[in-house]
Amino acid sequence: MAGTDARWRLGAGAAVLLVLGAVAGGVAQRMVVDAQPDAVLPTPVATATAELVVDVQGAVAEPGVYRLPPGSRVLDALARAGGTIDEAAPGALNLARPLTDGEQLIVPTVEQQAEAAQAGPEEGGPVSLNRSDAAALETLPGVGPSLAGAIIAYREEHGPFTDIAQLDDVAGIGPATLERLTPLVTL
């Protein structure tokens, strides 16, 4: 029986050593990971959906650049800028339109909006895709009420035009119309 007792003790001792070795190995591995400098560990990269950065200017209480959560709308940006001032033109902006990152919102005053409507596009000058109303857009060759409405609907849905070539994405404008309009429009 003495041989069986010795083997049992030897087996139990080996099992204890294995457990202690496994624990020590785990602790040592954790110490190595913790000892590595932060630069070695991957850092999260900001994604396009992390936040929107919007520049709000014009007839607002606190003009400036604001960070907003994804899915924010024009109304949210104006609220962050302290709201509009009394002189702001009501209805100048579509408050329900989703914002795009890097966008600039300019809230005109009633006076500025009246002046712009009165002046209309300069004779022979380019027509702004982002600021013109339907009447001004209809002064372009081949642009009637429905196409002017489609241009306005596109910019309300997708935000301001950032490139004249985006006109090709508007329903009813093909390559020939785009080529004809390009020298006559501006952003």
Side-chain angles (χ1 to χ4, degrees), residues 164-165 167 177-186:
I164 292 172
L167 271 176
T177 305
L178 175 63
E179 186 177 334
R180 184 175 64 246
L181 293 178
T182 296
L184 305 173
V185 297
T186 187

Side-chain angles (χ1 to χ4, degrees), residues 50-73:
E51 64 183 10
L52 301 172
V53 179
V54 181
D55 182 13
V56 183
Q57 298 295 321
V60 293
E62 300 171 18
V65 176
Y66 296 94
R67 296 179 186 281
L68 298 161
S72 295
R73 301 193 177 257

Side-chain angles (χ1 to χ4, degrees), residues 39-130:
V40 174
L41 300 175
T43 55
V45 176
T47 62
T49 60
E51 64 183 10
L52 301 172
V53 179
V54 181
D55 182 13
V56 183
Q57 298 295 321
V60 293
E62 300 171 18
V65 176
Y66 296 94
R67 296 179 186 281
L68 298 161
S72 295
R73 301 193 177 257
V74 170
L75 178 66
D76 301 320
L78 295 181
R80 286 291 303 275
T84 58
I85 59 174
D86 291 338
E87 295 82 17
L93 300 173
N94 175 1
L95 300 178
R97 181 178 58 76
L99 294 169
T100 58
D101 186 48
E103 178 176 351
Q104 182 182 46
L105 295 174
I106 301 175
V107 181
T109 63
V110 172
E111 184 180 325
Q112 290 169 332
Q113 190 174 31
E115 288 173 5
Q118 226 174 23
E122 290 182 32
E123 188 64 36
V127 174
S128 171
L129 293 174
N130 291 325

Side-chain angles (χ1 to χ4, degrees), residues 134 137-138 140 142-149:
L137 292 169
E138 289 175 32
L140 295 166
V143 177
S146 65
L147 196 50

